[in-house]
Amino acid sequence: MTTYWCEHAWLPDGLAQSMLIEVEGERIARIGQGAQGSAERLAGLTIPGLANAHSHAFHRALRGHTQAGKGDFWTWRDQMYSIAATLDPESYLNLARAVYAEMALAGVTCVGEFHYLHHGPGGVPYQDPNEMGHALVRAARDAGLRITLLDTCYLTGGVGTALAGAQLRFGDGTAEQWAVRAEGLAAAYTGQHDVEIGAAVHSVRAVPPEQMHVVSEFSHRHAAPLHAHVSEQRAENDACVRMYSATPVQLLHEHGALGPRSTAVHATHLSEVDVHLLGHSRTAVCMCPTTERDLADGIGPARTLFEHGSPITLGSDSHAVIDLFEEARAVELNERLASEKRGHWPAAELLAAATSAGHASLGFPDAGMLVPGAWADLVSVRTDSVRTAGTAGAEAVVFAATAADVHSVVSGGRRIVEDGRHVLGNTGQALAEAIGALR
Ligand SMILES: [Zn+2]
């Protein structure tokens, strides 16, 4: 058992001073007020571990390379495919381990990895068809994060078109063949509680509607999360409506893919009917504002969705930035720009999006809260840095702190970040080496 003393802690009913948190194994055993005594000191403000609900680990290799020049989502995608073409299980392990260490340094204790780079060049399966997935699980474990591996069904290159080029590596042929491989992956991690195997419909561009139910059924069979990219781009909506006379949300609804276990990622360009379908089905919506602004996607109706019943979660998606405080405040600041009004989101609700709601959407409803019985994920944020000095409360982390203010991270009872350094060593160097090896 380890006891931590928190100078300040963000508990479910608000901020508390001088709190002792007893950790037994992976869980919080007890919480109460008290003096530091022999407990390990956590200075500043301690919050629950953050959940990065939407990640494509390999996109990190694009940071600082795709921001030059003109273009849009579709030109960015071509550059992303050229990185996808180069990875193999070993280089992906090295890259993902460094990316997950970067997440740990930012206070993330669980990642939702939306994984579609399944096969070798040309779409030829590896000897173990889940070798790439196993590399991602190992990377998360090495970095000290829990992982929800969202095994992604990706069958077509666009609405009604075949896979081509690097996309061939994403495809399993049919949804039934996808399910056979995904069942193998789920079987490999049965009973391992730091890993959750979920499912994903890449998008309406990549899974024909008549095959979507196979992915939904996998999620229902395993009571596992089901994620999908939804209406990130107007062109996707246009192609979908032209082909099927329905919006992407309507298609997902018709094929059993909405509900409390589901997450719609982006949900940027929605109709009023879409908002009702998502909200009334309690489908979570994962906003990824730093990616959405980097890719010129647009601003989704986060507050309206929340008020209709959709929990909001946060993801760093393409990893243009890995900083969930930045994602959280961008949700509010985007609404200000769109509405010319301030004060849509209380900071505590944005912090809940980054913690409890995110973990729940990844199949860990018992994480993201500082309460006895929950996963022992403790993230401590400096309140004396040049950014945070003089701030207070949940507003301090949501509107002032950056990932660089995280100085200590305990993940599942294990200390993985101490004094701003990851236990694996120099994460910047690991990233540079892993990305350098691809170019
Ligand atoms: Zn994505």
Side-chain angles (χ1 to χ4, degrees):
M1 193 187 75
T2 309
T3 304
Y4 296 94
W5 179 82
C6 308
E7 193 178 0
H8 298 274
W10 189 64
L11 305 179
D13 49 1
L15 220 59
Q17 249 184 328
S18 195
M19 299 303 293
L20 289 164
I21 300 182
E22 287 180 27
V23 172
E24 271 175 25
E26 298 165 331
R27 303 274 169 172
I28 295 173
R30 271 168 293 279
I31 301 186
Q33 214 144 26
Q36 184 181 342
S38 59
E40 285 195 39
R41 176 186 169 84
L42 296 177
L45 173 58
T46 296
I47 60 173
L50 305 173
N52 193 352
H54 189 64
S55 159
H56 308 282
F58 75 90
H59 293 195
R60 173 64 179 79
L62 300 166
R63 186 190 297 174
H65 295 274
T66 52
Q67 277 78 22
K70 300 190 181 188
D72 55 19
F73 172 86
W74 309 101
T75 54
W76 168 86
R77 195 178 69 157
D78 291 338
Q79 295 173 280
M80 184 266 279
Y81 286 166
S82 70
I83 291 290
T86 66
L87 286 155
D88 61 29
E90 193 189 343
S91 59
Y92 206 3
L93 170 64
N94 291 333
L95 176 60
R97 184 195 291 119
V99 173
Y100 295 155
E102 182 184 355
M103 287 185 198
L105 287 167
V108 172
T109 54
C110 184
V111 58
E113 180 65 31
F114 198 106
H115 167 52
Y116 54 81
L117 186 53
H118 302 303
H119 302 300
V124 179
Y126 290 105
Q127 198 170 12
D128 177 339
N130 285 309
E131 212 166 322
M132 291 296 240
H134 295 315
L136 290 163
V137 170
R138 193 174 146 200
R141 283 179 164 163
D142 287 352
L145 271 60
R146 292 189 299 282
I147 185 169
T148 297
L149 192 58
L150 298 156
D151 194 300
T152 303
C153 184
Y154 198 127
L155 305 173
T156 56
V159 173
T161 62
L163 298 175
Q167 291 175 335
L168 291 167
R169 302 190 65 179
F170 313 159
D172 289 297
T174 65
E176 275 77 17
Q177 288 166 303
W178 166 85
V180 169
R181 192 180 49 66
E183 286 293 349
L185 186 67
Y189 296 98
T190 303
Q192 301 185 31
H193 50 184
D194 59 332
V195 176
E196 171 85 17
I197 304 300
V201 168
H202 178 276
S203 60
V204 299
R205 291 181 270 123
V207 181
E210 68 276 10
Q211 300 200 51
M212 278 178 193
H213 70 97
V214 176
V215 188
S216 305
E217 283 158 13
F218 177 96
S219 156
H220 301 323
R221 197 161 54 245
H222 293 272
L226 171 60
H227 289 214
H229 290 124
V230 175
S231 293
E232 181 174 7
Q233 287 285 320
R234 292 183 198 276
E236 170 188 311
N237 284 4
D238 295 346
C240 186
V241 169
R242 245 193 334 267
M243 190 74 148
Y244 308 118
S245 304
T247 65
V249 169
Q250 285 172 315
L251 280 190
L252 291 167
H253 166 66
E254 283 163 19
H255 295 90
L258 300 186
R261 274 197 294 273
S262 296
T263 292
V265 181
H266 303 301
T268 308
H269 303 285
L270 299 184
S271 70
E272 219 169 291
V273 172
D274 293 342
V275 170
H276 280 92
L277 287 173
L278 291 169
H280 293 171
S281 63
R282 299 290 181 266
T283 301
V285 172
C286 183
M287 309 300 288
C288 309
T290 68
T291 291
E292 288 149 9
R293 71 195 186 199
D294 185 53
L295 298 183
D297 287 337
I299 299 172
R303 188 73 210 180
T304 306
L305 283 161
F306 183 70
E307 283 168 0
H308 279 78
S310 287
I312 300 298
T313 66
L314 301 171
S316 65
D317 189 4
S318 70
H319 312 310
V321 176
I322 296 179
D323 184 342
L324 288 199
F325 303 142
E326 176 64 28
E327 304 291 345
R329 68 176 152 265
V331 170
E332 163 68 20
L333 298 179
N334 279 352
E335 303 243 15
R336 292 185 188 186
L337 289 172
S339 67
E340 300 173 49
K341 293 263 188 325
R342 305 176 78 234
H344 304 268
W345 289 91
E349 284 181 2
L350 292 171
L351 208 43
T355 55
S356 53
H359 289 284
S361 79
L362 297 177
F364 291 95
D366 49 353
M369 291 160 288
L370 299 182
V371 295
W375 282 87
D377 298 345
L378 313 178
V379 170
S380 303
V381 183
R382 286 179 60 175
T383 48
D384 62 352
S385 76
V386 289
R387 290 165 294 274
T388 57
T391 63
E395 285 74 15
V397 282
V398 172
F399 289 104
T402 71
D405 295 311
V406 171
H407 68 85
S408 166
V409 178
V410 174
S411 175
R414 173 181 162 206
R415 187 77 162 261
I416 57 170
V417 173
E418 196 157 5
D419 204 15
R421 284 182 65 83
H422 195 278
V423 291
L424 289 178
N426 187 335
T427 303
Q429 191 184 337
L431 283 163
E433 286 172 4
I435 293 168
L438 304 177
R439 290 181 186 275

